[in-house]
């Protein structure tokens, strides 16, 4: 088992992403022709984004992290503003709490569109709320950038033309997990997946990836929905003594499942998806259970990101600095929401407008080297982080450490 960093592999991305990142730097900083000076005040011509997030209820652990990302990133954007046509604009945020309730998420989206006049939506860290927001986005023709990970959020594309996604595709994460297990010569692995569509995606793609890698698939067990005891599911998952168990669950269920598996006598290694990479998973309560575990996550989590000199590396360092200053620690955080904002700002710059339809059209041709990873959106591909942006991390002394 690797317990220390022995080298950070470079991430190969499309050459045009670098050019796009440079262009976005110009967009964020304005142009020499811009005669405006002094502070800018919010106006109806600003880019107004509705953030519909799970700050309470189901998905709150991930939802709160993304809300923090948006709140911390907004001052960075507005420090210089950004060029939209002949004007410099600010970013306005209208953050609301869906409580993890799909109906409430849809109602809030409708209210933000009709009453608050937002130009775009960001949100939905769980598939169920994301789909509800997507339905409203399609009906009212408001561009929506989803923060959920289930691949079916974007399908069928003919019915999701206003929806985009920045999180990694479950298929890519599953393949990276299987590849790492192959490198570690793990012969057999079981799956313990959460309830709902996030768990569905894990079962579907992890099973396929393991089989394709020649790894025997042991038992596949689903965690009960809601705040229930995981002991029975854990006992079933450890049967057959698998060499590894994939805990495909969001935080806080991921850490709770790890504790239940240890209580059931399992001593093998755990593998997690990105949705488990949070401060909560490394809490004191979970620390012993998850020590030595592996996770697939955007490579930006690694300490190497703190020394990057490019524009997004600088923005990432500043976001981390603000995060530590305000919240006291930084043990796991993927700023998907900040990248969603960057994509919308870039689209507004390219479209020379904050019109909803034009934003959607230019999102469809966006490439970005973001804080969490790289993106290349097209008319037939509305999302998913580039696979090369993902890295393998190991929990070592209560910290996520990137391995070779």
């Amino acid at each position: 088992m690797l317990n220390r960093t022995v080298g950070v592999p470079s991430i190969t991305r499309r050459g045009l992403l670098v050019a796009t990142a440079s262009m976005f730097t110009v967009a964020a900083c304005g142009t020499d022709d811009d005669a405006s000076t002094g502070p800018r005040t919010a106006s109806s011509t600003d880019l107004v984004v509705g953030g519909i997030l799970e700050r309470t209820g189901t998905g709150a652990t991930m939802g709160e992290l993304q809300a923090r990302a948006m709140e911390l990133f907004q001052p960075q954007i507005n420090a210089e503003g950004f060029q939209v046509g002949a004007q410099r604009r600010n970013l306005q945020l209208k953050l609301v709490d869906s409580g993890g309730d799909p109906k409430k998420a849809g109602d809030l989206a409708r209210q933000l569109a009709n009453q608050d006049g937002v130009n775009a939506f960001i949100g939905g860290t769980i598939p169920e709320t994301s789909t509800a927001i997507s339905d409203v986005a399609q009906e009212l023709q408001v561009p929506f950038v989803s923060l959920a990970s289930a691949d079916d959020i974007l399908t069928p594309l003919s019915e999701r033309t206003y929806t985009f996604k920045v999180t990694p595709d479950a298929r890519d994460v599953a393949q990276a997990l299987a590849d790492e297990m192959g490198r570690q010569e793990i012969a057999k692995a079981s799956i313990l997946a959460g309830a709902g569509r996030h768990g569905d995606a894990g079962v579907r793609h992890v099973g396929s990836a393991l089989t394709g890698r020649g790894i025997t698939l042991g038992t596949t067990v689903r965690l009960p929905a809601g705040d229930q005891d995981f002991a029975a599911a854990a006992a079933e998952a450890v049967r057959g003594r698998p060499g590894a168990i994939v805990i495909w669950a969001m935080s806080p269920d991921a850490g709770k499942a790890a504790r239940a598996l240890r209580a059931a006598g399992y001593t093998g290694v755990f593998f997690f998806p990105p949705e488990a990479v949070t401060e909560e998973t490394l809490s004191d309560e979970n620390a012993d259970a998850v020590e030595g575990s592996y996770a697939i996550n955007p490579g930006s989590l690694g300490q190497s990101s703190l020394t990057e000199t490019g524009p997004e590396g600088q923005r990432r360092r500043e976001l981390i600095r603000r995060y530590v200053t305000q919240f006291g620690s930084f043990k796991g955080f993927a700023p998907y929401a900040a990248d969603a904002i960057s994509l919308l700002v870039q689209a507004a710059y390219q479209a020379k407008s904050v019109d909803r339809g034009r934003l959607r059209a230019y999102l469809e041709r966006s490439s970005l080297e973001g804080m969490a990873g790289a993106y290349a959106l097209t008319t037939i591909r509305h999302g998913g982080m580039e696979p090369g942006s993902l890295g393998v991390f190991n929990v070592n002394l209560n910290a996520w450490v990137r391995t070779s």
Side-chain angles (χ1 to χ4, degrees), residues 171 173-182 186-191 202-220 246:
R171 178 184 292 102
V173 173
Q175 188 59 58
L177 283 171
D179 289 345
E180 179 61 24
M181 288 187 195
I186 292 171
K188 181 179 180 181
S190 293
I191 303 171
V203 170
R204 180 168 61 253
H205 293 300
V206 172
S208 176
L210 292 178
T211 302
R213 201 63 167 74
I215 299 170
T216 300
L217 177 61
T219 57
T220 297
V246 177

Side-chain angles (χ1 to χ4, degrees), residues 52-122:
I52 308 167
L53 296 160
E54 303 81 5
R55 306 193 75 165
T56 58
T58 303
T61 301
M62 290 298 295
E64 183 61 24
L65 288 180
Q66 301 312 315
R68 290 176 183 179
M70 294 179 75
E71 291 172 331
L72 293 172
F73 193 45
Q74 182 186 26
Q76 292 181 242
I77 291 290
N78 288 345
E80 295 292 338
F82 52 94
Q83 200 77 12
V84 180
Q87 299 184 33
R88 296 283 286 279
R89 305 291 178 91
N90 278 347
L91 168 70
Q92 290 189 42
L93 294 179
K94 294 185 179 295
L95 301 185
V96 293
D97 177 17
S98 72
D101 179 351
K103 182 180 184 306
K104 184 176 181 181
D107 290 343
L108 287 169
R110 193 174 299 279
Q111 176 182 314
L112 286 168
N114 291 334
Q115 297 180 23
D116 296 281
V118 301
N119 305 110
F121 302 132
I122 294 174

